[in-house]
Amino acid sequence: MRLLVLGGTEFAGRAVVEAALGRGWEVTVFNRGRHPSAPGTRSLTGDRTAPGGLDALAEGDWDAVVDTWSAAPRAVHEAARLLRGRARRYVYVSSCSVYAWAPPAGYAEDAPVVEDAEPDAGQSDYARDKRGGELAVVDAFGAETSVLVRAGLILGPYENVGRLPWWLTRIAAGGPVLAPGPRHLPLQYVDVRDLAEWILGAVERELSGPYNLMSPQGHTTMGELLEACARATGSDAELRWTAPEVILDAGIEPWTELPVWVPPGTDLHDALHAADVSRAVAAGLSCRPVEETVADTWGWLRSIGGTAPQRPDRPRKGLDPEVEAKVLAAGSG
């Protein structure tokens, strides 16, 4: 297989590249050259947001393209139109954010999507940008040779968003830890390596259409996630499980200040942790245990000195230590 990855040096793109190389595929990466490409790849350099930035892609043929672009749909539109007829399949890593708010618990791929998205639009908001990217791919490649990977929460090695790395770092520091309850709160996510393997399998099987791509509902819980962090780091941290209403009353923002966590019984929880993924499972999705995701992410963090890379276009995650201490103190009073 000849694979072209647009990006290919960070998080999801990097995982796809490594998985493809592991299968013996011939891999070309196209990016701005800000990060080193994996050994064994052919590297092309260009900035898809600049005039003439796609010139390096003017020639070449591939079995598939994988694109993880998250900004203006216009960049996806231009790349897909350029590659039309020279690639057999276009895989776009989209997001479950494309669904119209708020999708009900158990929503599948036929749920309504956001409106006012355009395939050749400039940057607007994340949901419309991702939906516009989907439209751009289908516009250029057609529905039968487009794969729309509607990913949910992505965790694992190389994470540059700051969710699991923050929890690992915080728990490794030890002491009392504000653990957002309830402990049995069900979570959905996908390990980035399982995402990558599914994508390559989709190419091999010549799949098409949209797929919700995350673990089955309840694959793990908040308790299992944080306890796995404690075991992986060898920390003596004390997880102090705290009721959702206490956290919210303290003004703490779910998802950002306490990464991964959102209160149960809310639209946000249903949207992020209650999708129907039966279509992806039927098409080969297999999800490793949370213990493995956590341990491997901690091993990667340690190998790079303990500080995870941070995407400049995403806000930093995590709770201010003073706020945490204040809430913990109030709970023990």
Side-chain angles (χ1 to χ4, degrees), residues 162-294:
R163 296 189 178 104
L164 185 51
W166 183 83
W167 276 117
L168 283 162
T169 302
R170 171 62 194 92
I171 290 174
V177 175
L178 181 63
R183 183 177 173 279
H184 60 268
L185 183 71
L187 303 180
Q188 267 186 313
Y189 71 94
V190 64
D191 186 298
V192 70
R193 296 163 296 179
D194 298 333
L195 171 77
E197 291 292 347
W198 187 88
I199 286 172
L200 300 184
V203 170
E204 291 175 332
R205 296 171 185 167
E206 298 185 343
L207 301 182
S208 61
Y211 290 84
N212 291 337
L213 217 294
M214 60 206 90
S215 61
Q217 293 182 34
H219 176 70
T220 195
T221 64
M222 201 70 206
E224 290 166 347
L225 176 69
L226 299 193
E227 288 158 10
C229 288
R231 286 191 294 271
T233 59
S235 172
D236 61 356
E238 176 193 355
L239 298 176
R240 293 192 182 175
W241 292 99
T242 305
E245 55 269 23
V246 173
I247 293 169
L248 298 175
D249 287 346
I252 295 172
E253 286 290 331
W255 190 248
T256 53
E257 291 186 288
L258 287 174
V260 177
W261 179 80
V262 289
T266 62
D267 289 344
L268 188 57
H269 184 271
D270 290 347
L272 294 170
H273 295 299
D276 178 354
V277 297
S278 56
R279 189 167 191 249
V281 171
L285 176 63
S286 177
C287 297
R288 68 194 70 204
V290 66
E291 196 86 23
E292 184 176 338
T293 298
V294 169

Side-chain angles (χ1 to χ4, degrees), residues 41-194:
T41 60
R42 176 186 175 219
S43 185
L44 301 176
T45 303
D47 182 350
R48 58 197 299 184
T49 66
L54 296 175
D55 288 352
L57 295 175
E59 297 181 355
D61 296 278
W62 293 273
D63 293 298
V65 180
V66 174
D67 190 350
T68 63
W69 187 255
S70 296
R74 184 178 298 122
V76 180
H77 192 247
E78 292 176 356
R81 288 171 63 86
L82 178 64
L83 295 166
R84 180 172 53 192
R86 296 193 288 121
R88 292 169 55 195
R89 196 161 301 274
Y90 202 112
V91 182
Y92 180 59
V93 180
S94 185
S95 168
C96 62
S97 295
V98 301
Y99 294 108
W101 192 262
Y107 65 90
E109 290 82 358
D110 59 355
V113 294
V114 294
E115 299 179 349
D116 301 322
E118 297 292 340
D120 59 350
Q123 189 168 1
S124 55
D125 59 72
Y126 185 75
R128 284 190 295 163
D129 288 346
K130 279 296 192 183
R131 178 56 183 159
E134 292 185 352
L135 295 172
V137 173
V138 174
D139 179 63
F141 272 69
E144 295 304 312
T145 51
S146 302
V147 185
L148 309 178
V149 182
R150 292 176 177 167
L153 172 63
I154 306 175
L155 302 176
Y158 318 135
E159 189 194 329
N160 58 358
V161 184
R163 296 189 178 104
L164 185 51
W166 183 83
W167 276 117
L168 283 162
T169 302
R170 171 62 194 92
I171 290 174
V177 175
L178 181 63
R183 183 177 173 279
H184 60 268
L185 183 71
L187 303 180
Q188 267 186 313
Y189 71 94
V190 64
D191 186 298
V192 70
R193 296 163 296 179
D194 298 333

